[in-house]
Amino acid sequence: MDRLRRFMFGRYGGDELSKALLVLSFILLLVMNFLPRYLGILVVFAYVPALICIFRIFSRNIYKRRSENYKYLKIKSKVIMWFENNLNRIKTLKNFKYYTCSNCKQRLRVPRGKGKMSITCPKCKSSFKGKS
Ligand SMILES: [Zn+2]
């Protein structure tokens, strides 16, 4: 155990991005099982994320690995937020109608079934007409 600790000293170790790369590699391996035999050589690509993961864990360039992980986390949170927003939008589509402000691109939500109305953007205060 002490030898491992000494070996890992000064090395980056695991993080969220490494975990994601391992999961990606695993998913690719699973998908490759369903490919026809003559495409079997593609299985090599399934190991690429795992190799990158191993490289990252043993890397001594901690600063660079940290910034990669930071970029990954930023993208991941954006993707999750996009899915949450759209899922919420689909759930409420029956009761609300969505508009995009032509001035500032702010997404606006108005209740359905109220007829023609003047919609005022709460962000930039510009107003336009819409049917709900
Ligand atoms: Zn606006």
Side-chain angles (χ1 to χ4, degrees), residues 12 14-18 20 56 61-79:
Y12 184 62
D15 62 5
E16 287 288 310
L17 178 56
S18 297
R56 294 188 79 253
N61 193 346
I62 292 171
Y63 175 77
K64 199 167 182 187
R65 301 292 89 82
R66 254 192 210 142
S67 78
E68 287 166 0
N69 189 50
Y70 177 72
K71 280 179 197 161
Y72 162 73
L73 290 175
K74 237 166 103 176
I75 292 169
K76 183 184 163 190
S77 78
K78 270 184 192 170
V79 169

Side-chain angles (χ1 to χ4, degrees), residues 104-120:
C104 70
K105 308 294 178 214
Q106 170 76 30
R107 197 186 284 177
L108 305 168
R109 190 178 82 168
V110 293
R112 277 194 187 275
K114 304 281 183 199
K116 277 191 173 178
M117 59 167 61
S118 175
I119 301 161
T120 307

Side-chain angles (χ1 to χ4, degrees), residues 21-70:
L21 286 168
L22 268 187
V23 170
L24 175 67
S25 194
F26 186 70
I27 290 169
L28 285 175
L29 279 173
L30 283 179
V31 170
M32 296 290 175
N33 278 331
F34 298 103
L35 288 180
R37 247 191 188 310
Y38 64 91
L39 289 173
I41 189 71
L42 289 177
V43 82
V44 172
F45 293 106
Y47 289 104
V48 170
L51 290 175
I52 294 171
C53 170
I54 291 167
F55 165 76
R56 294 188 79 253
I57 287 171
F58 295 117
S59 171
R60 288 184 186 275
N61 193 346
I62 292 171
Y63 175 77
K64 199 167 182 187
R65 301 292 89 82
R66 254 192 210 142
S67 78
E68 287 166 0
N69 189 50
Y70 177 72

Side-chain angles (χ1 to χ4, degrees), residues 101-106 108 120-126 128:
C101 175
S102 53
N103 195 28
C104 70
K105 308 294 178 214
Q106 170 76 30
L108 305 168
T120 307
C121 173
K123 196 175 171 188
C124 69
K125 309 291 179 212
S126 77
F128 58 93

